[in-house]
Amino acid sequence: MSVRVRFAPSPTGYLHIGGARTALFNWLYARHMGGTFILRVEDTDAARNSQEAVNVILDGLRWLGLDWDEGPLTADATGPGKGDRGPYFQSRRKENYALRVEALLSRGLAYESEGAVRFRMTREPVLVRDLVVGDVTRALTDREEQDPDFVIMRSDGSPVFHFVNVVDDLEMGITHVIRGEDHLSNTAKHVALFKAFGVEPPQYAHIPLILNADGSKMSKRDTGAALTYYMENGYAPEAVLNYLCLLGWSARDGREVIPLPELIANFDLPQILRHNARFDHEKLKWMNGEYLRAMTADRFYEMSVHALARAGVDTNAFPTAYVKAALDTCMGKLRLFTDLPAYAGFYFTDRVEMDADAKAALTPEARDRLKKLRDAYAGAADFKAATLETILKDTAKALGVKNGVLVHPIRFACTGKPSGPSLYHLLEILGRDRVMQRIDATLAA
């Protein structure tokens, strides 16, 4: 049997982090099994649908690198990995649903009631065999004993979620339904519908929910509930993907930072945990820092330039070699790309803004020493880091002070901050002219 899985989000205007994790688990399982990953947009609710809301989903999946394998041909190349294919849209499959309703009506398995169509639900307990939760028997509740039947098509002719979900899974040949545990309560209805159509249901795997750190359910109002939060706040997609994978799944060897090829090789449904997962933002930041440290230079440059642009820093105004050299001094120093403007923004400005600590540290005595270091640097044979370090140490020795007495004033003068990239390397990258101008501006202030 060839594995076929799907991610079926509703376009509500944002992609919940739990939904992104569901998409990831489906994608990983398909890649692990050499199967097919399908994207299907559940957009039958016309009042809530918009192309903008759909784009949020597509952009989020693209950002994570979750490409889908099939879909209708499209002129706008919306597929992230399949440029000529888009996702399936339920709103374009209405004829399929109408035919399936007629099939149930013709066999007496559904009936009309007050303009709507209702499915004749079995009165017997329904057994749901779940690959994560285990066997679950769903019996009728007291209320359902009076009338367990449920609407599959509204009086306005629009089909309901339970019905279209089953029809699509049936017609698309879905073999495994991997989704959040909050859908488990619906599954008995889905199993009954599959059996009404004369087919065995797919295998179900209901995965644990993602909770806030305090154990509460993560709602759309909570920080970090939407995937766009991570897209806009300095996270690397590979780090977010890795962390999401650990929310409800664990590798056999207990490792946490796992390259994507190994995640694909090792991911399987038996390793999905039974208990709900708590989202730890600090752990994700730590993992993001690990990924930033391990990034190739080209990848780091690409993401850094985007992060600086979002902060209003135009690196295009500077030579490429200068930008790359500046960013080299930042590699391995950040946890989030949003830290970059504050950490290295001084490279890309003509005027350094000093914080209060810097201004307080530049006493008259400190300015006098800075002037002597400026004169020494002005006469340097070259402006390389090693030479600049030697000159500073020699100047400090001549003044009878420790190196730090000179290090702090010149760092303040050139960066406006008490800490940052390696001092001598940042001075070399800024170059003699910029360093002289910044020291002079500081002394004149």
Side-chain angles (χ1 to χ4, degrees), residues 124-156:
E124 301 298 323
V126 177
L127 175 63
V128 178
R129 296 193 179 278
D130 194 280
L131 298 173
V132 175
V133 179
D135 288 355
V136 176
T137 300
R138 178 77 165 82
L140 298 179
T141 65
D142 291 341
R143 185 179 64 180
E144 288 171 335
E145 286 179 358
Q146 301 300 317
D147 186 9
D149 300 344
F150 59 92
V151 172
I152 57 175
M153 182 170 284
R154 302 179 186 90
S155 58
D156 64 0

PDB file of all heavy atoms in Angstrom, residues 124-156:
ATOM      1  N   GLU A 124     -25.393   1.628  16.807  1.00  0.00           N
ATOM      2  CA  GLU A 124     -24.446   0.767  17.519  1.00  0.00           C
ATOM      3  C   GLU A 124     -23.180   1.546  17.865  1.00  0.00           C
ATOM      4  O   GLU A 124     -22.818   2.503  17.174  1.00  0.00           O
ATOM      5  CB  GLU A 124     -24.075  -0.445  16.659  1.00  0.00           C
ATOM      6  CG  GLU A 124     -25.263  -1.308  16.271  1.00  0.00           C
ATOM      7  CD  GLU A 124     -25.947  -1.896  17.484  1.00  0.00           C
ATOM      8  OE1 GLU A 124     -25.230  -2.265  18.449  1.00  0.00           O
ATOM      9  OE2 GLU A 124     -27.191  -1.981  17.479  1.00  0.00           O
ATOM     10  N   PRO A 125     -22.469   1.160  18.936  1.00  0.00           N
ATOM     11  CA  PRO A 125     -21.184   1.801  19.248  1.00  0.00           C
ATOM     12  C   PRO A 125     -20.215   1.664  18.076  1.00  0.00           C
ATOM     13  O   PRO A 125     -20.218   0.652  17.372  1.00  0.00           O
ATOM     14  CB  PRO A 125     -20.693   1.022  20.477  1.00  0.00           C
ATOM     15  CG  PRO A 125     -21.927   0.446  21.087  1.00  0.00           C
ATOM     16  CD  PRO A 125     -22.843   0.124  19.937  1.00  0.00           C
ATOM     17  N   VAL A 126     -19.412   2.681  17.848  1.00  0.00           N
ATOM     18  CA  VAL A 126     -18.454   2.692  16.743  1.00  0.00           C
ATOM     19  C   VAL A 126     -17.046   2.513  17.309  1.00  0.00           C
ATOM     20  O   VAL A 126     -16.635   3.237  18.219  1.00  0.00           O
ATOM     21  CB  VAL A 126     -18.531   4.004  15.944  1.00  0.00           C
ATOM     22  CG1 VAL A 126     -17.470   4.036  14.843  1.00  0.00           C
ATOM     23  CG2 VAL A 126     -19.927   4.169  15.340  1.00  0.00           C
ATOM     24  N   LEU A 127     -16.308   1.560  16.762  1.00  0.00           N
ATOM     25  CA  LEU A 127     -14.929   1.321  17.186  1.00  0.00           C
ATOM     26  C   LEU A 127     -13.988   2.104  16.280  1.00  0.00           C
ATOM     27  O   LEU A 127     -14.014   1.954  15.057  1.00  0.00           O
ATOM     28  CB  LEU A 127     -14.594  -0.166  17.105  1.00  0.00           C
ATOM     29  CG  LEU A 127     -13.139  -0.545  17.397  1.00  0.00           C
ATOM     30  CD1 LEU A 127     -12.759  -0.190  18.842  1.00  0.00           C
ATOM     31  CD2 LEU A 127     -12.891  -2.027  17.122  1.00  0.00           C
ATOM     32  N   VAL A 128     -13.188   2.937  16.878  1.00  0.00           N
ATOM     33  CA  VAL A 128     -12.171   3.696  16.149  1.00  0.00           C
ATOM     34  C   VAL A 128     -10.812   3.107  16.521  1.00  0.00           C
ATOM     35  O   VAL A 128     -10.415   3.130  17.692  1.00  0.00           O
ATOM     36  CB  VAL A 128     -12.211   5.199  16.510  1.00  0.00           C
ATOM     37  CG1 VAL A 128     -11.099   5.944  15.774  1.00  0.00           C
ATOM     38  CG2 VAL A 128     -13.571   5.792  16.178  1.00  0.00           C
ATOM     39  N   ARG A 129     -10.127   2.584  15.543  1.00  0.00           N
ATOM     40  CA  ARG A 129      -8.779   2.048  15.778  1.00  0.00           C
ATOM     41  C   ARG A 129      -7.774   3.149  15.463  1.00  0.00           C
ATOM     42  O   ARG A 129      -7.644   3.571  14.320  1.00  0.00           O
ATOM     43  CB  ARG A 129      -8.532   0.811  14.917  1.00  0.00           C
ATOM     44  CG  ARG A 129      -9.466  -0.354  15.261  1.00  0.00           C
ATOM     45  CD  ARG A 129      -8.997  -1.651  14.624  1.00  0.00           C
ATOM     46  NE  ARG A 129      -9.874  -2.766  14.970  1.00  0.00           N
ATOM     47  CZ  ARG A 129      -9.780  -3.450  16.107  1.00  0.00           C
ATOM     48  NH1 ARG A 129      -8.855  -3.122  16.996  1.00  0.00           N
ATOM     49  NH2 ARG A 129     -10.608  -4.453  16.346  1.00  0.00           N
ATOM     50  N   ASP A 130      -7.095   3.596  16.490  1.00  0.00           N
ATOM     51  CA  ASP A 130      -6.195   4.747  16.339  1.00  0.00           C
ATOM     52  C   ASP A 130      -4.755   4.324  16.586  1.00  0.00           C
ATOM     53  O   ASP A 130      -4.461   3.634  17.573  1.00  0.00           O
ATOM     54  CB  ASP A 130      -6.594   5.856  17.317  1.00  0.00           C
ATOM     55  CG  ASP A 130      -5.942   7.173  16.985  1.00  0.00           C
ATOM     56  OD1 ASP A 130      -4.760   7.357  17.332  1.00  0.00           O
ATOM     57  OD2 ASP A 130      -6.608   8.016  16.363  1.00  0.00           O
ATOM     58  N   LEU A 131      -3.859   4.736  15.709  1.00  0.00           N
ATOM     59  CA  LEU A 131      -2.460   4.328  15.795  1.00  0.00           C
ATOM     60  C   LEU A 131      -1.705   5.003  16.925  1.00  0.00           C
ATOM     61  O   LEU A 131      -0.619   4.570  17.295  1.00  0.00           O
ATOM     62  CB  LEU A 131      -1.760   4.620  14.462  1.00  0.00           C
ATOM     63  CG  LEU A 131      -2.317   3.864  13.246  1.00  0.00           C
ATOM     64  CD1 LEU A 131      -1.668   4.366  11.959  1.00  0.00           C
ATOM     65  CD2 LEU A 131      -2.107   2.369  13.408  1.00  0.00           C
ATOM     66  N   VAL A 132      -2.268   6.075  17.479  1.00  0.00           N
ATOM     67  CA  VAL A 132      -1.627   6.783  18.585  1.00  0.00           C
ATOM     68  C   VAL A 132      -2.399   6.566  19.881  1.00  0.00           C
ATOM     69  O   VAL A 132      -1.852   6.167  20.906  1.00  0.00           O
ATOM     70  CB  VAL A 132      -1.501   8.291  18.288  1.00  0.00           C
ATOM     71  CG1 VAL A 132      -0.945   9.034  19.506  1.00  0.00           C
ATOM     72  CG2 VAL A 132      -0.607   8.520  17.080  1.00  0.00           C
ATOM     73  N   VAL A 133      -3.692   6.815  19.832  1.00  0.00           N
ATOM     74  CA  VAL A 133      -4.531   6.762  21.022  1.00  0.00           C
ATOM     75  C   VAL A 133      -4.863   5.327  21.416  1.00  0.00           C
ATOM     76  O   VAL A 133      -5.077   5.018  22.589  1.00  0.00           O
ATOM     77  CB  VAL A 133      -5.821   7.570  20.797  1.00  0.00           C
ATOM     78  CG1 VAL A 133      -6.736   7.517  22.008  1.00  0.00           C
ATOM     79  CG2 VAL A 133      -5.478   9.021  20.462  1.00  0.00           C
ATOM     80  N   GLY A 134      -4.909   4.419  20.432  1.00  0.00           N
ATOM     81  CA  GLY A 134      -5.354   3.065  20.682  1.00  0.00           C
ATOM     82  C   GLY A 134      -6.810   2.908  20.287  1.00  0.00           C
ATOM     83  O   GLY A 134      -7.418   3.813  19.705  1.00  0.00           O
ATOM     84  N   ASP A 135      -7.397   1.775  20.599  1.00  0.00           N
ATOM     85  CA  ASP A 135      -8.796   1.545  20.251  1.00  0.00           C
ATOM     86  C   ASP A 135      -9.713   2.396  21.130  1.00  0.00           C
ATOM     87  O   ASP A 135      -9.581   2.415  22.355  1.00  0.00           O
ATOM     88  CB  ASP A 135      -9.152   0.072  20.439  1.00  0.00           C
ATOM     89  CG  ASP A 135      -8.528  -0.809  19.361  1.00  0.00           C
ATOM     90  OD1 ASP A 135      -7.914  -0.248  18.432  1.00  0.00           O
ATOM     91  OD2 ASP A 135      -8.652  -2.048  19.462  1.00  0.00           O
ATOM     92  N   VAL A 136     -10.634   3.088  20.473  1.00  0.00           N
ATOM     93  CA  VAL A 136     -11.601   3.925  21.175  1.00  0.00           C
ATOM     94  C   VAL A 136     -12.995   3.521  20.725  1.00  0.00           C
ATOM     95  O   VAL A 136     -13.282   3.502  19.519  1.00  0.00           O
ATOM     96  CB  VAL A 136     -11.379   5.428  20.884  1.00  0.00           C
ATOM     97  CG1 VAL A 136     -12.454   6.260  21.559  1.00  0.00           C
ATOM     98  CG2 VAL A 136      -9.986   5.858  21.332  1.00  0.00           C
ATOM     99  N   THR A 137     -13.858   3.175  21.669  1.00  0.00           N
ATOM    100  CA  THR A 137     -15.240   2.844  21.338  1.00  0.00           C
ATOM    101  C   THR A 137     -16.119   4.044  21.651  1.00  0.00           C
ATOM    102  O   THR A 137     -16.139   4.543  22.772  1.00  0.00           O
ATOM    103  CB  THR A 137     -15.722   1.623  22.137  1.00  0.00           C
ATOM    104  OG1 THR A 137     -14.888   0.496  21.814  1.00  0.00           O
ATOM    105  CG2 THR A 137     -17.170   1.295  21.781  1.00  0.00           C
ATOM    106  N   ARG A 138     -16.830   4.506  20.631  1.00  0.00           N
ATOM    107  CA  ARG A 138     -17.679   5.688  20.776  1.00  0.00           C
ATOM    108  C   ARG A 138     -19.132   5.243  20.800  1.00  0.00           C
ATOM    109  O   ARG A 138     -19.687   4.797  19.781  1.00  0.00           O
ATOM    110  CB  ARG A 138     -17.425   6.645  19.611  1.00  0.00           C
ATOM    111  CG  ARG A 138     -18.278   7.903  19.625  1.00  0.00           C
ATOM    112  CD  ARG A 138     -17.761   8.909  20.646  1.00  0.00           C
ATOM    113  NE  ARG A 138     -18.334  10.220  20.418  1.00  0.00           N
ATOM    114  CZ  ARG A 138     -19.526  10.625  20.826  1.00  0.00           C
ATOM    115  NH1 ARG A 138     -20.301   9.792  21.499  1.00  0.00           N
ATOM    116  NH2 ARG A 138     -19.951  11.842  20.569  1.00  0.00           N
ATOM    117  N   ALA A 139     -19.742   5.297  21.981  1.00  0.00           N
ATOM    118  CA  ALA A 139     -21.151   4.950  22.117  1.00  0.00           C
ATOM    119  C   ALA A 139     -22.000   6.217  22.055  1.00  0.00           C
ATOM    120  O   ALA A 139     -21.497   7.336  22.204  1.00  0.00           O
ATOM    121  CB  ALA A 139     -21.378   4.221  23.436  1.00  0.00           C
ATOM    122  N   LEU A 140     -23.291   6.049  21.836  1.00  0.00           N
ATOM    123  CA  LEU A 140     -24.184   7.200  21.784  1.00  0.00           C
ATOM    124  C   LEU A 140     -24.332   7.833  23.164  1.00  0.00           C
ATOM    125  O   LEU A 140     -24.350   7.138  24.185  1.00  0.00           O
ATOM    126  CB  LEU A 140     -25.571   6.762  21.289  1.00  0.00           C
ATOM    127  CG  LEU A 140     -25.636   6.170  19.877  1.00  0.00           C
ATOM    128  CD1 LEU A 140     -27.068   5.766  19.564  1.00  0.00           C
ATOM    129  CD2 LEU A 140     -25.125   7.157  18.846  1.00  0.00           C
ATOM    130  N   THR A 141     -24.420   9.139  23.194  1.00  0.00           N
ATOM    131  CA  THR A 141     -24.705   9.838  24.441  1.00  0.00           C
ATOM    132  C   THR A 141     -26.209   9.819  24.688  1.00  0.00           C
ATOM    133  O   THR A 141     -26.992   9.432  23.819  1.00  0.00           O
ATOM    134  CB  THR A 141     -24.227  11.295  24.379  1.00  0.00           C
ATOM    135  OG1 THR A 141     -24.989  11.987  23.372  1.00  0.00           O
ATOM    136  CG2 THR A 141     -22.754  11.368  24.025  1.00  0.00           C
ATOM    137  N   ASP A 142     -26.626  10.238  25.873  1.00  0.00           N
ATOM    138  CA  ASP A 142     -28.057  10.278  26.185  1.00  0.00           C
ATOM    139  C   ASP A 142     -28.815  11.127  25.173  1.00  0.00           C
ATOM    140  O   ASP A 142     -29.913  10.759  24.721  1.00  0.00           O
ATOM    141  CB  ASP A 142     -28.269  10.842  27.595  1.00  0.00           C
ATOM    142  CG  ASP A 142     -27.774   9.885  28.672  1.00  0.00           C
ATOM    143  OD1 ASP A 142     -27.608   8.693  28.363  1.00  0.00           O
ATOM    144  OD2 ASP A 142     -27.554  10.347  29.803  1.00  0.00           O
ATOM    145  N   ARG A 143     -28.227  12.255  24.815  1.00  0.00           N
ATOM    146  CA  ARG A 143     -28.902  13.145  23.861  1.00  0.00           C
ATOM    147  C   ARG A 143     -28.964  12.498  22.481  1.00  0.00           C
ATOM    148  O   ARG A 143     -29.981  12.574  21.786  1.00  0.00           O
ATOM    149  CB  ARG A 143     -28.172  14.486  23.778  1.00  0.00           C
ATOM    150  CG  ARG A 143     -28.873  15.520  22.894  1.00  0.00           C
ATOM    151  CD  ARG A 143     -28.124  16.822  22.863  1.00  0.00           C
ATOM    152  NE  ARG A 143     -26.805  16.651  22.253  1.00  0.00           N
ATOM    153  CZ  ARG A 143     -25.934  17.654  22.099  1.00  0.00           C
ATOM    154  NH1 ARG A 143     -26.227  18.865  22.542  1.00  0.00           N
ATOM    155  NH2 ARG A 143     -24.771  17.429  21.533  1.00  0.00           N
ATOM    156  N   GLU A 144     -27.872  11.833  22.079  1.00  0.00           N
ATOM    157  CA  GLU A 144     -27.822  11.228  20.755  1.00  0.00           C
ATOM    158  C   GLU A 144     -28.738  10.008  20.644  1.00  0.00           C
ATOM    159  O   GLU A 144     -29.153   9.641  19.544  1.00  0.00           O
ATOM    160  CB  GLU A 144     -26.381  10.832  20.424  1.00  0.00           C
ATOM    161  CG  GLU A 144     -25.486  12.027  20.137  1.00  0.00           C
ATOM    162  CD  GLU A 144     -24.012  11.627  20.018  1.00  0.00           C
ATOM    163  OE1 GLU A 144     -23.642  10.591  20.604  1.00  0.00           O
ATOM    164  OE2 GLU A 144     -23.258  12.358  19.362  1.00  0.00           O
ATOM    165  N   GLU A 145     -29.048   9.382  21.776  1.00  0.00           N
ATOM    166  CA  GLU A 145     -29.952   8.243  21.725  1.00  0.00           C
ATOM    167  C   GLU A 145     -31.325   8.668  21.202  1.00  0.00           C
ATOM    168  O   GLU A 145     -32.055   7.881  20.592  1.00  0.00           O
ATOM    169  CB  GLU A 145     -30.080   7.612  23.110  1.00  0.00           C
ATOM    170  CG  GLU A 145     -28.839   6.815  23.511  1.00  0.00           C
ATOM    171  CD  GLU A 145     -28.973   6.226  24.905  1.00  0.00           C
ATOM    172  OE1 GLU A 145     -30.014   6.480  25.542  1.00  0.00           O
ATOM    173  OE2 GLU A 145     -28.047   5.529  25.340  1.00  0.00           O
ATOM    174  N   GLN A 146     -31.692   9.925  21.471  1.00  0.00           N
ATOM    175  CA  GLN A 146     -32.967  10.435  20.975  1.00  0.00           C
ATOM    176  C   GLN A 146     -32.913  10.663  19.462  1.00  0.00           C
ATOM    177  O   GLN A 146     -33.865  10.368  18.749  1.00  0.00           O
ATOM    178  CB  GLN A 146     -33.310  11.751  21.690  1.00  0.00           C
ATOM    179  CG  GLN A 146     -33.411  11.621  23.193  1.00  0.00           C
ATOM    180  CD  GLN A 146     -34.482  10.637  23.615  1.00  0.00           C
ATOM    181  OE1 GLN A 146     -35.583  10.627  23.051  1.00  0.00           O
ATOM    182  NE2 GLN A 146     -34.173   9.802  24.608  1.00  0.00           N
ATOM    183  N   ASP A 147     -31.761  11.185  18.982  1.00  0.00           N
ATOM    184  CA  ASP A 147     -31.621  11.464  17.548  1.00  0.00           C
ATOM    185  C   ASP A 147     -30.135  11.555  17.188  1.00  0.00           C
ATOM    186  O   ASP A 147     -29.546  12.641  17.192  1.00  0.00           O
ATOM    187  CB  ASP A 147     -32.322  12.773  17.182  1.00  0.00           C
ATOM    188  CG  ASP A 147     -32.318  13.017  15.671  1.00  0.00           C
ATOM    189  OD1 ASP A 147     -31.932  12.100  14.924  1.00  0.00           O
ATOM    190  OD2 ASP A 147     -32.673  14.128  15.257  1.00  0.00           O
ATOM    191  N   PRO A 148     -29.498  10.440  16.874  1.00  0.00           N
ATOM    192  CA  PRO A 148     -28.067  10.451  16.549  1.00  0.00           C
ATOM    193  C   PRO A 148     -27.769  10.906  15.121  1.00  0.00           C
ATOM    194  O   PRO A 148     -26.611  11.112  14.762  1.00  0.00           O
ATOM    195  CB  PRO A 148     -27.662   8.982  16.737  1.00  0.00           C
ATOM    196  CG  PRO A 148     -28.905   8.232  16.385  1.00  0.00           C
ATOM    197  CD  PRO A 148     -30.055   9.073  16.865  1.00  0.00           C
ATOM    198  N   ASP A 149     -28.792  11.053  14.300  1.00  0.00           N
ATOM    199  CA  ASP A 149     -28.564  11.468  12.912  1.00  0.00           C
ATOM    200  C   ASP A 149     -28.005  12.892  12.878  1.00  0.00           C
ATOM    201  O   ASP A 149     -28.288  13.710  13.752  1.00  0.00           O
ATOM    202  CB  ASP A 149     -29.859  11.405  12.119  1.00  0.00           C
ATOM    203  CG  ASP A 149     -30.454   9.999  12.096  1.00  0.00           C
ATOM    204  OD1 ASP A 149     -29.717   9.046  12.429  1.00  0.00           O
ATOM    205  OD2 ASP A 149     -31.648   9.873  11.772  1.00  0.00           O
ATOM    206  N   PHE A 150     -27.228  13.192  11.848  1.00  0.00           N
ATOM    207  CA  PHE A 150     -26.621  14.526  11.755  1.00  0.00           C
ATOM    208  C   PHE A 150     -26.688  15.048  10.326  1.00  0.00           C
ATOM    209  O   PHE A 150     -26.764  14.285   9.357  1.00  0.00           O
ATOM    210  CB  PHE A 150     -25.177  14.514  12.257  1.00  0.00           C
ATOM    211  CG  PHE A 150     -24.254  13.571  11.532  1.00  0.00           C
ATOM    212  CD1 PHE A 150     -23.499  14.001  10.443  1.00  0.00           C
ATOM    213  CD2 PHE A 150     -24.126  12.240  11.934  1.00  0.00           C
ATOM    214  CE1 PHE A 150     -22.642  13.139   9.781  1.00  0.00           C
ATOM    215  CE2 PHE A 150     -23.271  11.369  11.280  1.00  0.00           C
ATOM    216  CZ  PHE A 150     -22.529  11.814  10.199  1.00  0.00           C
ATOM    217  N   VAL A 151     -26.677  16.369  10.213  1.00  0.00           N
ATOM    218  CA  VAL A 151     -26.799  17.041   8.913  1.00  0.00           C
ATOM    219  C   VAL A 151     -25.511  16.849   8.112  1.00  0.00           C
ATOM    220  O   VAL A 151     -24.401  17.008   8.641  1.00  0.00           O
ATOM    221  CB  VAL A 151     -27.074  18.549   9.107  1.00  0.00           C
ATOM    222  CG1 VAL A 151     -27.008  19.291   7.767  1.00  0.00           C
ATOM    223  CG2 VAL A 151     -28.434  18.756   9.770  1.00  0.00           C
ATOM    224  N   ILE A 152     -25.672  16.487   6.847  1.00  0.00           N
ATOM    225  CA  ILE A 152     -24.519  16.416   5.950  1.00  0.00           C
ATOM    226  C   ILE A 152     -24.605  17.479   4.850  1.00  0.00           C
ATOM    227  O   ILE A 152     -23.603  17.815   4.221  1.00  0.00           O
ATOM    228  CB  ILE A 152     -24.359  15.018   5.323  1.00  0.00           C
ATOM    229  CG1 ILE A 152     -25.623  14.609   4.566  1.00  0.00           C
ATOM    230  CG2 ILE A 152     -23.979  13.998   6.387  1.00  0.00           C
ATOM    231  CD1 ILE A 152     -25.471  13.283   3.810  1.00  0.00           C
ATOM    232  N   MET A 153     -25.810  18.001   4.607  1.00  0.00           N
ATOM    233  CA  MET A 153     -25.963  19.118   3.674  1.00  0.00           C
ATOM    234  C   MET A 153     -27.027  20.070   4.218  1.00  0.00           C
ATOM    235  O   MET A 153     -28.130  19.652   4.550  1.00  0.00           O
ATOM    236  CB  MET A 153     -26.356  18.628   2.285  1.00  0.00           C
ATOM    237  CG  MET A 153     -26.481  19.751   1.255  1.00  0.00           C
ATOM    238  SD  MET A 153     -26.658  19.159  -0.454  1.00  0.00           S
ATOM    239  CE  MET A 153     -24.975  18.671  -0.826  1.00  0.00           C
ATOM    240  N   ARG A 154     -26.650  21.347   4.324  1.00  0.00           N
ATOM    241  CA  ARG A 154     -27.559  22.344   4.876  1.00  0.00           C
ATOM    242  C   ARG A 154     -28.692  22.656   3.897  1.00  0.00           C
ATOM    243  O   ARG A 154     -28.620  22.313   2.706  1.00  0.00           O
ATOM    244  CB  ARG A 154     -26.779  23.617   5.217  1.00  0.00           C
ATOM    245  CG  ARG A 154     -25.634  23.398   6.208  1.00  0.00           C
ATOM    246  CD  ARG A 154     -24.890  24.708   6.470  1.00  0.00           C
ATOM    247  NE  ARG A 154     -23.711  24.501   7.308  1.00  0.00           N
ATOM    248  CZ  ARG A 154     -22.487  24.233   6.821  1.00  0.00           C
ATOM    249  NH1 ARG A 154     -22.303  24.154   5.496  1.00  0.00           N
ATOM    250  NH2 ARG A 154     -21.479  24.056   7.636  1.00  0.00           N
ATOM    251  N   SER A 155     -29.661  23.378   4.391  1.00  0.00           N
ATOM    252  CA  SER A 155     -30.822  23.712   3.559  1.00  0.00           C
ATOM    253  C   SER A 155     -30.458  24.622   2.392  1.00  0.00           C
ATOM    254  O   SER A 155     -31.175  24.685   1.396  1.00  0.00           O
ATOM    255  CB  SER A 155     -31.907  24.367   4.418  1.00  0.00           C
ATOM    256  OG  SER A 155     -31.401  25.534   5.064  1.00  0.00           O
ATOM    257  N   ASP A 156     -29.325  25.335   2.503  1.00  0.00           N
ATOM    258  CA  ASP A 156     -28.884  26.201   1.388  1.00  0.00           C
ATOM    259  C   ASP A 156     -28.069  25.434   0.358  1.00  0.00           C
ATOM    260  O   ASP A 156     -27.550  26.029  -0.596  1.00  0.00           O
ATOM    261  CB  ASP A 156     -28.102  27.399   1.915  1.00  0.00           C
ATOM    262  CG  ASP A 156     -26.799  26.986   2.607  1.00  0.00           C
ATOM    263  OD1 ASP A 156     -26.487  25.774   2.678  1.00  0.00           O
ATOM    264  OD2 ASP A 156     -26.079  27.891   3.087  1.00  0.00           O
TER     265      ASP A 156
END
